[in-house]
Amino acid sequence: MGIFEIASSSLNGAQNLAKRVKKVRTMQLRAGSLHSPLDENAVLYESYSGNGMVCHPEAIFRRLLGAEDMNHLKHIWVLKDLSRFRSTVQKFQKNDRVKFVVYGSLAYYKALQTSKYLINNVSFPQQFSKRDGQIYVNTWHGVPLKKMGFDVKGGAVDTRNMIRNFLSADYLLSAGPRMTEQMYIRAFKLVNVYEGSILEVGNPRIDWQFQPAQATIELREWLDKFNMDLDEREVILYAPTWKGSDFTRPSNDAASLAAIVSDLESRIDCEKYRVLVKAHQLVAEEMKSNEALIGRLVPNDIPTNVVLAATSILITDYSSIFYDFIATGNPVIFYTPDIESYRTYRDVYVEPESFPGRLAYSVEELASHVTDTLRDDWGWDQSVRARYDEAVQAFTKHDDGHASG
């Protein structure tokens, strides 16, 4: 992009932002929130702009909700659609300390302006401005595998609001030194700029994986709400990332994903193992409409790490979900038949050859790896095991089941 294109883009962006700010300011005045005092006991949680009660904010919420010395706190969750996430709302409808607001609504902006504590795993809208006295914790949403920030072409423009959120945050969450260096310092260039604290305490959402019995009960309760049974078979979870060059227009094909799962199931013993699918939150809603995935697709309402806690083998591609899963000590298999096309629009920090698990380039090879892993105690050679152990040490060494506390 040339200098004049950047200038024009910035001008248009500024004009659009000014219009949005004016609109939101009007909403805030109507709500009386611009001059309302902070609610010292209110905690507002937002994950993926309201796309579910999930990720690190969910884990922190659960810990605070269950802590006896935190009974004074009121918890406000942001959801895009209360009907879409009806099961989540119903789960807490009898708890008067938990309430929900719709993303972008009048109630949302009032809560955003008056809550003492703000917890987000991505970013608040461009018109957000933290008030004096508010405490903002940005947890991010996992160890990055795909390049981001200034490491991506055009990143200076595309990540403006993300950087502004980081600079507004009092605390940034990190899995450890490798993530801090790779993401916050290099990719977002926060060195000597960020004035808050980076907390290298691990991943709160991984706490679920240290409670496998409780997570299994939780998963069974969730699946019951969606008319899915959690039987006694071992779970093989297929969790691919979103595909495409534009975050706002992912190109995942539900039919192709369903075909892969069906092909895999035809090659393994489905009396002992079942394949579940966890779609990326960007495409989860689209996947729901595919009939072939009914009974296989894990609803987006269910926290991913609750599912990981009950999973024997994870199959993924370029999703950073594997960084969470290796905390269980269980094996990962990477299905990467589209690696060359993927590289043309999205680069990664770690090449597949260095991933902590075996690679498969066809469903036949994938099924073979799954079978070998189940039969031969992973069926890995020393080099694969060494990569796995190195990744555990680099990215999950602080995870002990208490990161959220």
Side-chain angles (χ1 to χ4, degrees):
M1 181 180 288
I3 185 66
F4 294 107
E5 291 174 285
I6 293 176
S8 176
S9 174
S10 298
L11 178 60
N12 291 335
Q15 292 172 337
N16 292 333
L17 177 58
K19 292 178 181 178
R20 287 195 294 270
V21 170
K22 183 177 180 180
K23 179 180 179 181
V24 173
R25 189 176 180 83
T26 300
M27 294 175 70
Q28 291 170 334
L29 285 169
R30 285 171 53 201
S33 60
L34 278 179
H35 304 292
S36 298
L38 290 178
D39 186 334
E40 297 291 327
N41 296 321
V43 188
L44 181 138
Y45 307 85
E46 182 176 317
S47 291
Y48 305 114
S49 301
N51 201 15
M53 182 188 279
V54 292
C55 198
H56 297 315
E58 185 269 346
I60 295 171
F61 159 72
R62 291 287 192 142
R63 182 59 63 92
L64 292 176
L65 185 65
E68 293 184 3
D69 59 341
M70 294 292 172
N71 286 335
H72 60 286
L73 294 178
K74 295 179 288 187
H75 307 275
I76 304 169
W77 263 99
V78 178
L79 295 176
K80 280 186 177 178
D81 187 330
L82 300 189
S83 296
R84 175 181 165 192
F85 295 104
R86 184 181 296 106
S87 60
T88 298
V89 176
Q90 290 176 341
K91 193 175 184 68
F92 296 95
Q93 63 183 356
K94 295 182 180 180
N95 192 322
D96 58 8
R97 293 171 55 206
V98 182
K99 64 177 290 188
F100 299 88
V101 295
V102 176
Y103 181 81
S105 68
L106 189 66
Y108 168 72
Y109 285 110
K110 182 173 182 179
L112 189 55
Q113 284 288 317
T114 59
S115 296
K116 170 75 172 184
Y117 304 97
L118 308 173
I119 300 176
N120 200 320
N121 78 336
V122 184
S123 64
F124 291 115
Q126 291 181 338
Q127 54 268 32
F128 162 72
S129 179
K130 192 182 75 170
R131 293 176 62 182
D132 290 341
Q134 286 185 311
I135 297 175
Y136 178 11
V137 180
N138 190 292
T139 69
W140 197 237
H141 48 274
V143 176
L145 174 63
K146 296 179 281 289
K147 289 187 177 180
M148 56 183 56
F150 285 88
D151 290 342
V152 179
K153 185 178 180 180
V157 174
D158 295 339
T159 61
R160 287 171 297 183
N161 187 50
M162 191 65 255
I163 293 175
R164 193 178 66 83
N165 267 258
F166 284 159
L167 294 178
S168 298
D170 298 279
Y171 302 97
L172 299 177
L173 193 66
S174 172
R178 287 274 290 273
M179 178 177 170
T180 299
E181 175 67 25
Q182 179 174 281
M183 179 177 165
Y184 295 125
I185 294 178
R186 294 209 309 264
F188 288 99
K189 299 186 182 300
L190 297 184
V191 65
N192 297 326
V193 177
Y194 177 62
E195 297 180 345
S197 299
I198 298 178
L199 306 178
E200 295 178 345
V201 296
N203 302 277
R205 66 189 185 190
I206 291 182
D207 288 356
W208 272 116
Q209 295 166 213
F210 287 84
Q211 310 170 58
Q214 180 59 38
T216 299
I217 294 172
E218 183 83 6
L219 179 59
R220 192 181 302 279
E221 291 176 354
W222 273 112
L223 292 178
D224 283 346
K225 293 178 182 293
F226 293 93
N227 298 315
M228 293 174 63
D229 294 325
L230 183 63
D231 54 35
E232 300 306 313
R233 290 178 294 173
E234 291 189 52
V235 172
I236 298 171
L237 184 67
Y238 180 33
T241 191
W242 65 279
K243 302 295 174 66
S245 58
D246 189 341
F247 186 81
T248 63
R249 293 193 297 273
S251 61
N252 293 53
D253 182 352
S256 295
L257 190 149
I260 292 170
V261 173
S262 295
D263 195 357
L264 175 61
E265 288 180 332
S266 71
R267 300 171 185 273
I268 63 174
D269 184 353
C270 287
E271 290 187 1
K272 293 183 178 180
Y273 311 102
R274 68 180 301 180
V275 180
L276 294 180
V277 177
K278 189 72 173 82
H280 190 279
Q281 57 91 20
L282 276 182
V283 297
E285 190 66 13
E286 173 197 344
M287 297 294 174
K288 285 169 55 176
S289 62
N290 188 284
E291 293 186 1
L293 291 177
I294 294 176
R296 296 165 168 165
L297 184 66
V298 177
N300 200 48
D301 303 56
I302 305 177
T304 299
N305 298 77
V306 170
V307 189
L308 292 181
T311 296
S312 296
I313 296 179
L314 173 68
I315 299 171
T316 187
D317 45 15
Y318 321 105
S319 171
S320 59
I321 189 175
F322 75 82
Y323 285 121
D324 285 25
F325 188 68
I326 58 178
T328 66
N330 288 339
V332 187
I333 298 173
F334 296 89
Y335 180 56
T336 57
D338 58 342
I339 180 60
E340 294 308 321
S341 63
Y342 189 80
R343 282 190 175 116
T344 64
Y345 60 80
R346 192 68 189 266
D347 205 356
V348 292
Y349 287 113
V350 180
E351 289 301 309
E353 292 74 20
S354 297
F355 286 176
R358 298 178 72 177
L359 302 179
Y361 300 98
S362 68
V363 178
E364 182 178 10
E365 188 176 18
L366 175 61
S368 177
H369 287 343
V370 168
T371 301
D372 289 346
T373 299
L374 293 169
R375 184 184 60 218
D376 300 327
D377 189 25
W378 295 25
W380 288 4
D381 58 32
Q382 288 187 334
S383 62
V384 177
R385 184 73 214 205
R387 296 200 301 268
Y388 189 100
D389 292 342
E390 194 278 332
V392 169
Q393 180 63 23
F395 297 106
T396 68
K397 69 176 182 179
H398 293 298
D399 289 297
D400 57 3
H402 302 285
S404 59

